[in-house]
Structures are given as C-alpha cells and as structure tokens.
Amino acid sequence: MVKKNLKKLYGKDAREFFNQVMVEQPLLPFLIPLGLFAWFVERWVVPFSNWVPLAAAVWATIQYGRFKRRITVEDLNKRWKHLILNTTPTTPIEPCEWLNKLLTEVWPNYMEPKLSRRFQSTVERRLKNRKPKLIDKIELQEFSLGSCPPTLGDEGMRWITSGDQQVMRLGFDWNSHEMSVMFLAKLGKPLVGTCRIVINSIHIKGDLLLSPILDGEAILYSFESTPEVRIGVAFGSGGSQAIPGMELPGVSTWLVKLLTETIGKTMVEPRRLCFSLPAVDLRKQAVGGVLSVTVVSASNLCKSTTNRQSSNGGTMSGIAENKLSHTFVEVEVGNLMRKTSTSKGLNPTWNSTFNMVLHGETGIVKFLLYELDSGGVKFNYLTSCEIKVKYVHDGSTIFWAIGHNSGVVAKHTEHCGQEVGMVVPFEDIKGELTVSLVLKEWQFSDGSVTLSNSLSNGLHSSLDGSPKLQSVTGRRLRVRVVEGRALTANSKSGKCDPYVKLQYGKALYRTKTLSHTVRPVWNDKFEFDEIAGGECLKIKCFNADMFGDESIGSARVNLEGLLDGASRDVWVPLEKTDSGEIRLEIEPIKNDHNNSLQSSSSNAGAGWIELVIMEARDLVAADLRGTSDPYVRVQYGNKKKRTKVIYKTLSPQWNQTFEFPETGEPLILHVKDHNAVLPTASIGHCTVEYSMLSQNQSADKWIPLQGVKSGEIHVKIARRVPMSDSEKKTAIGTDPFGKGHKITTQMRGSLKKFTGLIDEGGDPEALSLAVTEMEGIQSEQEEYIEVLEREKAMLLHKIQELGSEIIRTKSGPPRSPY
C-alpha cells in the first residue's frame, strides 16, 4: 500500500515536472525527435562518444533543480501571506526619508501647480453653495499652495492588512506659512463695502492610508480619521469702499469648518479618493459624461440593530428578518435622482435602468434603499452604498466602491460602452446590491467626444487633442425642444401643463404651454450664438398653474463636442425630481449673417434702425380688476425710449415709431404696467432680432413675451441706410417737409394739452401721460434733425462736386465758331 502511494506521488511529481518543462522550454517537442534521430544514427550508423547521455542527464538535473526551487518559493510566499493575514497584520515600521526628499524635488514644478488647479475648482464650487450671512458675495482671486510640501511618514510607514487588501499607513503633517489663497468678499447688511480675505498658513495633521488597486494602475488615498485642521486668516482692504483690515466675526470659523467638512466628506474612511497612474496621457480634460445605471437586485438583506430616522420623521429598526418587505432603490448623482419600482422579499429584483449625467471627470453614484410600510404610504430609509466613477487620462474609466471588511471593489474599462457589473455591500445592514454600469459618453473641454460604438453615429473622439469647435463668432446653435416623457404631475390636482425654459448665456427662451399631458410634444426651435468657455445650456421645466408655476425639474446640457454637419439627439434626464426626461435636437449651424453684422457694426452711423411698435395681445393682467395699463420701454444699448400708456386693456395699440443709429447692439423691449403711486410692474420682455435683415429691408413679426405666461407684441423692424439719388428725388417730390410739419403739429398740440391741464389744477396721472407724449415727440424731432443733418451734408457734398465740374468746364479751350 505504501509503495502504491509512493508511486502515485512520484507519478504526480513527474507530471508536474514535465508540464513545467514544457512551459519553460517550448522547443522541447522539437528537440526530443532530434535526439532520438541522433541516438539512432549513433547506435546503427556512426557511434558517438559517451558524453551525449551524460550531457542530457546534467541538463535534466538542472531543470529539475530549478523547478523544485520555484515550488519552494511559491510555498514560502503562500505561508508568508497566510502569516501576515491571520497572525501579524502589521509590518514593522519602515523609514521613508527618501519619499520626502523626492517630494521636495517634484513639488514646486509639478505637484503644486497641478494640485492648485484641482483644489481651486473644488473651492470655487464650495463657495457658491456655502457662505456666511455676513458675506453677500465672495470670489476666489488667487490660489497657491506655496513652495513647502507636506511631510509624509515623519515617524516611518508600515503596511497594514485590511481583509485581502494591503494598505500603506503613514503620517501626514502639512505646516505651511507660504501659501496664498485670496478671496474678494462683498459684505452684506449691516456692513457695506468689500474686503479681501487671505489664507496665508495651513496646518493639517493626520494619518494617511494608501491602497494600490487594479494591479498598481491606481491608488486610493484617505485619512484614517478626521485630521487636525488649522488655518491662518488675514483681512485687508478691498478698494475705495472697503472696511479697514479687521477680524470679521465668524469668517475664520466658517473657513475652518468648510475645509474640515470637505475633507471629512471626501477622504476620511471609508470615503476614499483615487489617483490614477496611466501609462499614456492623452492630455484631455473631461467635463461631463453620460452613465447608464441598471439596479439589478439585492441579496441577503438582514435585520439592522440600529434605529434610524425615517424620511417622514418617524423611526425604524431595519428590515425584519422573517418578514417580507416592499423595498425600492433611489439612484442619486448630484441633483439627479431616479427611483426603481417596488419589489417584495429579502432578495428583491428590480432590473431598472436609468441614464444619469456626470458633471466633471469624477462622479458619485449613490444607491439609497427604502422600505414601504404595509399600507404603501410611508417609506423608511434603511441604508445606502455608493460607487465612484473617474476618467483616467489614457481614455479609460475606473469604478470603485467600499467592499466587505473595508476592502475595495474596483473595475476598469478601456473604452466607453463596456458593461461593468459590481456587487457592493450596504453600509449599515447586511446585504449586497448588484448593479450594472455602462459609461456611454465622455465629453472633453477641447470639444471632442468619446462615445460607445452603439452611440457613435460617425462621431469619434479626437485622440490628438485638437479642438473640433470653430470660433464662437462663426457658428450658431439650433436647439429644438422636441418632446418630454414621464413628467411629474401636480400632486394635488393630478394635472400637468408643462412648458420649458432654455437659458444659454444671457439668452432666455420659452416653449409654448401644453395642457393636460405628461408626454408633451413641443417641436419648438430656438437659436443661440455659440459661447466659448464651456457654457452649459440650462433647462427648467415648469407646470403652469393659476396660483404660481411649479418647477418639475431642471438639467444642464454640455454643448461642447458638436461637430459641423452633425446633430445630437439626446434625452436629458431632469434633476431635482423623481422622473422626467426632455428630448433635445442640437445642431451647429454657420452664422451666414455674421459678416453683414460685423460690417454694419464697423460702419456705425452709416445707417439706422427703424422700429414701429404696433400693438400687443393676450397680455397678463397686472391689476386687480383684471386689466393692465401697458406701455413699452425700448432699450438699444445705452439709449432708452418709451411709448405712451394705454389704459385698462390687455390688447393695446401704440403705433409709434422709434429710430436709433445702428451700432449692432441688442434691441430689447420691456412691456410695463403703469402705476401712478406704486412701482411699475413688468408684464414681459423680448428681444427684437434685426441682424438678419438686409439693407432697407423690413420685417413684420409677432414676438412672444418672455418671463410671463402669455402675451405677444407686434412690431415692424427695418435697417435703413441713406437713400440713393433717385430715391431722394422721389421722396422730395412727394412730401419734402411732411414729417417736419407733422412733428411741429404734434408738439403744439401736446403743449396746448399740457397748458390746459396745468390751468385746471393738474391731474398727476394725466400730467405724467402728457409729459411722456412730449418726450416721445421730442425724441422723434431729434432723430428727424439728425436725418436732416445727414441729408444736408450729402447735399453740400453734391453741390461742391457740381461747382468743381462747372469750374472745370469753363476753364477748357474756347470752341471755334461755325
């Protein structure tokens, strides 16, 4: 029996040895037949010496020795790992002076500029959302971390085993008095003025944890606990209306609290940040992306022993172990939230897919688990987990999350469109969540877009880093709001009368309002001048209501990466709501009227804009009696004019003409409701486009008013230039002084009316109207005088030319008599 076992052991050892030799010596199958052939020749044809078998025996002995040494090393490694993981989870302290010397060398020219740019964007985002009441507005003007780097591992470093993950633990001590972060703050009431807030020193001390993942392609870093934070703040003058340098109450405390909370929410265990180590850098900055999230199922949900606060103020104690529960998951990315359907049991299955929008090169996908009560009315928050997404500069994407026993679950995709499946444990209760993630698109600051193969449609990323966008003055963006789906209806009435507002830069447009539908179809087109610098298109969706419109979601759309001749058809999910998407068709078009606009702007004074305000209809009622007293204030650059007031009507008729020397500036109409005592109320505004008109061409249009539920204004707009000789003769022959007589008659009538009102005691409202009419007539008179001056100058020029021609003719040789 023993001999039989020994034979099996030797046979197994021989097979392993033979397999190892075959792996290391791939030419062995060819050498064996060659050796047999040589042995045949030596045995039967020509005998060789006896050293050939000896050489073969020596070679076999060497190979066997190498194999045994390798087996021994692997066995020792397994035993060492088992010893480290189970008996000695912490290695001895290792010195790391070399790391600080290296950090001192690379800090000024590489790490400090890179970290300053990254931290500056983070600080700017935080300042927009968090500021004390004492400060009305704050702006970051300078950001520099200084030339003094932090000290790492002053007392040494050591490796710690956490589950199956190896973690480096080392001290972090940053005590710098050379940094310079300067803010310009506008103070609120009761203080008035501005001041400068300067952070000139910082002290952060704690224990840093570094975890290599994905075979060394990235490193996760975090603080073991909340570090000690101190900053030095100085206050200085901010200009002519500034307060003297002094301590503003609460500002230093606010800055320390803001910095501590930011560190705690982003990089204190179990929160971890990722630093990627790509082999190739494409030098492209991601500014946004589209992520498809599929919540598949949850498993092994068990009872939690801790009580938590529910969303409606009550308490709960987790999922009962022997009770079936109705649960759902809420997916959250920034302000964008989506809910799955409800599933029953301790192993629920949802299979719900949502398209989420990422802003920036990183994003956090949070999964919040809720439980419905037996009545299906109340829901309790149970637990959560999250997955982080990061763009790597070689074009790939990293997904990571916290695993069991504070481990790491990390995945890596080389291209967009690859599906990633992850199983993530919940934070507070036992159980796992299974999700599937697909990064559909990355958008970059240079204008290129990386799409998945199924979504490319001929659009590919530019790997050379060259921008694809043209100059901002050469293109316009045509945006068509096509339709919406799954919009949220009013919780009380159950109705939905949706409309959409679009804002791009300072341009603001609104679609029409559709009644009683959660799947509207608008098909409204709008055009915007393209803006450089990563300007986003802002979308706001409202539900029209008699007592005030209700917001039913908003979103931001990155318009970078649009190529000439290609359009983008996207469904944009609405943020700050449970459901809803808006479909947009975005197409870049060339601005054919750009050259004409530039020429008209460069020749300012050669022409003028003629605007006729005809009438309006469907105006909103600004008075309690259900009517308005509307008038129009016209703004063209720095010049402002106004029409007369039409009392107690929602469909006024003005029929007034205004002229402005053309400068290429926007022409804006503000419709106001006149009040004699109270301030005037706005009942809409609009912008009159005239750049597309040719010279001496007019357009008659109804323009919808912005900022109100209803209302349109009827105008005639024309671009006028000086008339030709034939046109002048025709005009002079018909009515040479018709407009002048008309203005004089109007002025006399207004003066008589004004004098009569003064003699009768003077009604303030009537006097105000009379003064307004006189101002309008005076403006027309000034414009008419400007036209006469231009005509006079041209006429004098023609007379001078005619005189020169007469003198030239008289000075010629005398004609011979017949």
Side-chain angles (χ1 to χ4, degrees), residues 300-309 315-323 325 346 369 371 380-384 426-431:
N300 303 324
L301 297 180
C302 295
K303 182 178 179 181
S304 176
T305 58
T306 58
N307 293 338
R308 282 174 298 276
Q309 190 77 12
T315 59
M316 46 72 62
S317 59
I319 302 177
E321 202 165 332
N322 299 320
K323 181 181 177 182
S325 303
L346 298 178
L369 181 65
E371 178 189 19
N380 300 320
Y381 168 75
L382 298 177
T383 183
S384 65
F426 288 111
E427 292 183 355
D428 300 327
I429 67 174
K430 292 184 179 180

Side-chain angles (χ1 to χ4, degrees), residues 118-133:
R118 181 171 181 178
F119 291 159
Q120 181 175 0
S121 61
T122 304
V123 170
E124 289 177 340
R125 290 196 304 268
R126 290 280 179 179
L127 288 178
K128 291 181 180 179
N129 302 325
R130 300 279 304 274
K131 62 179 183 292
K133 296 181 180 180

Side-chain angles (χ1 to χ4, degrees), residues 57-70:
V58 170
W59 176 82
T61 304
I62 294 174
Q63 293 297 325
Y64 183 74
R66 290 178 178 177
F67 168 72
K68 294 299 290 183
R69 283 195 299 272
R70 184 176 293 105

Side-chain angles (χ1 to χ4, degrees), residues 27-77:
L27 296 178
L28 187 61
F30 302 98
L31 295 176
I32 292 176
L34 182 62
L36 293 175
F37 176 74
W39 175 79
F40 174 78
V41 172
E42 188 272 339
R43 180 71 177 81
W44 300 101
V45 181
V46 179
F48 294 117
S49 60
N50 294 330
W51 62 265
V52 175
L54 180 61
V58 170
W59 176 82
T61 304
I62 294 174
Q63 293 297 325
Y64 183 74
R66 290 178 178 177
F67 168 72
K68 294 299 290 183
R69 283 195 299 272
R70 184 176 293 105
I71 294 298
T72 304
V73 170
E74 291 178 358
D75 184 61
L76 289 176
N77 288 335

Side-chain angles (χ1 to χ4, degrees), residues 55 110 165 318 391 468 487 572 589 636 709 712 721 786 788:
Y110 176 74
Q165 183 70 31
Y391 170 76
K468 296 294 184 181
L487 300 182
V572 182
I589 57 176
Y636 187 71
K709 295 181 181 179
E712 292 180 299
V721 294
E786 291 179 2
L788 291 179

Side-chain angles (χ1 to χ4, degrees), residues 307-358:
N307 293 338
R308 282 174 298 276
Q309 190 77 12
S310 66
S311 59
N312 52 14
T315 59
M316 46 72 62
S317 59
I319 302 177
E321 202 165 332
N322 299 320
K323 181 181 177 182
L324 298 179
S325 303
H326 295 268
T327 55
F328 67 91
V329 174
E330 185 177 76
V331 185
E332 179 180 324
V333 178
N335 294 324
L336 181 57
M337 295 174 290
R338 289 294 180 266
K339 292 181 180 179
T340 66
S341 57
T342 305
S343 183
K344 187 177 181 181
L346 298 178
N347 296 291
T349 301
W350 298 284
N351 288 321
S352 300
T353 303
F354 311 103
N355 286 329
M356 314 299 285
V357 178
L358 302 175

